[in-house]
Amino acid sequence: MGTAGNDAVLGRRGRLGRRGLLLVLSSPSGAGKTTITRRLVELEGEEVTISVSHTTRPKRPDEIDGRDYHFVDEAGFARLRDRGAFLEHAEVFGHWYGTARDPVESAVEAGRDVIFDIDWQGSQQLAEAVRGDLVRIFILPPSLEALEQRLKRRAQDSAAVVAQRMSRAGDEMRHYDEYDYVVVNAALEQAVNDVRSILRAERLRRGRLRGLDDFVAGLTKGAEPPAG
Ligand code: 5GP
């Protein structure tokens, strides 16, 4: 294979094809992971997609079914779970949440990255289910005060819900050491940049690249190692 053959291995942007990765962003509620996730999608475009979970939690006023979650009742959730439709599922704040398997597998095969906004329990289950495809980032707030302010500003949840989420924040944050990377969200754009840097580097991991053996064979053809 000559240079022309090697060009054929490279995609439109002069890059090798690759398998997509599963990017898990976890944090206590209010640390900004949903905002970071949306920003990533704006900036990365087609190459990333957000995994839309199923949940039995009631819809918040500004949420859209199918965009933020697939809202289902307990019986519907149980049916999907029993059918093995979930890659992972967990109970959080008294409601069920789960990640459907099929959309994730087809995106990864197509070379797109799937971003997950799931808690530490889901992250642990995903690690068992997918291993090498998984990259885990934990988002921390700059302080407990900042976290509380963000939860109150969101103002969609009642005071009781804010208090419950604050008391769970400590439990959630204690799981930071199960993650590959930690990003402190003190300033949104900086945090988004940090996450993008991780994503860019992880995309270039040798094991994710497709056609690499052929590509290097094309590059080294005719260049025999020196004798002796
Ligand atoms: P919220 O109700 O505020 O949208 O989410 C509550 C918690 O559930 C968050 O910590 C969120 O990361 C987590 N969560 C959302 N979707 C899933 C999921 O599919 N699986 C798991 N394990 N957790 C989820």
Side-chain angles (χ1 to χ4, degrees), residues 5-6 9 103 107 175 191 199:
N6 262 352
V9 177
H175 289 273
L199 190 56

Side-chain angles (χ1 to χ4, degrees), residues 68-123:
D68 299 288
Y69 283 103
H70 300 290
F71 294 95
V72 291
D73 60 18
E74 299 249 345
F77 193 95
R79 265 197 305 277
L80 287 166
R81 184 193 54 213
D82 296 346
R83 225 202 284 149
F86 292 131
L87 263 180
E88 64 77 34
H89 64 277
E91 193 178 9
V92 187
F93 304 127
H95 300 294
W96 287 97
Y97 295 81
T99 303
R101 182 185 302 273
D102 290 352
V104 175
E105 286 179 354
S106 42
V108 169
E109 278 302 317
R112 301 177 78 201
D113 305 317
V114 186
I115 306 178
F116 296 83
D117 170 350
I118 60 177
D119 76 334
W120 63 269
Q121 305 173 74
S123 166

Side-chain angles (χ1 to χ4, degrees), residues 120-141:
W120 63 269
Q121 305 173 74
S123 166
Q124 278 184 352
Q125 288 183 50
L126 269 190
E128 281 161 29
V130 302
R131 293 181 189 273
D133 289 331
L134 190 67
V135 177
R136 288 168 292 184
I137 305 179
F138 201 79
I139 314 279
L140 287 173

